[in-house]
Amino acid sequence: MYEILAQIVKFLLIGLIYYFLYNFLKLMVLDLYEERRSSEETVYYLQCEDGREFPVRSVTTIGRAKDSDIVIDDPYLSSKHAMIYKKGRKMIIQDLKSTNGTYINGKRIKRAVALRENDVITMGSRKFTFLRREARGLERGSDL
């Protein structure tokens, strides 16, 4: 009787150890993921026409997929629609073979294109303006 009880307690303890180890590792991975995302931020952001702002990192994916950096709920966007990445001192946008395409200032892009400040990016039914953080600060400062 004691041997069976000892075996049950042993398996319970091993199960608890694995449970705590799993949760500990899960928290570590989530913490590292958040640290990586915050450290790669650039001085640029996308401003949606509804006023929302999205920071642009060294590599930023845009789409409907939950694992995209900028998740946009729009039926005309592909799950992985476009990507913005840093190349040297420039920020580059590339369409990821989306169904409805990506447009810069009204022109559909077929290859990677360098972005300039105040470029209007259209994806699906959404429009975004590519801006620098310093420009936002100057606009706010001029209201004084």
Side-chain angles (χ1 to χ4, degrees), residues 2-76:
Y2 289 112
E3 290 178 13
I4 294 173
L5 187 60
Q7 288 293 329
I8 292 172
V9 170
K10 180 176 140 182
F11 285 120
L12 284 174
L13 287 174
I14 290 172
L16 281 172
I17 289 170
Y18 278 113
Y19 174 75
F20 286 117
L21 185 61
Y22 168 76
N23 283 321
F24 176 74
L25 290 174
K26 187 169 110 176
L27 286 173
M28 282 181 50
V29 168
L30 289 173
D31 190 40
L32 289 172
Y33 180 72
E34 286 301 318
E35 182 178 314
R36 180 186 66 88
R37 288 183 65 133
S38 63
S39 66
E40 294 179 349
E41 198 166 309
T42 63
V43 297
Y44 298 100
Y45 68 99
L46 292 178
Q47 184 175 34
C48 190
E49 57 194 352
D50 63 9
R52 290 184 296 164
E53 296 178 356
F54 302 98
V56 176
R57 294 172 176 39
S58 297
V59 176
T60 303
T61 55
I62 305 166
R64 283 183 300 135
K66 299 295 181 205
D67 64 339
S68 295
D69 296 310
I70 299 176
V71 179
I72 305 295
D73 187 25
D74 184 339
Y76 299 107

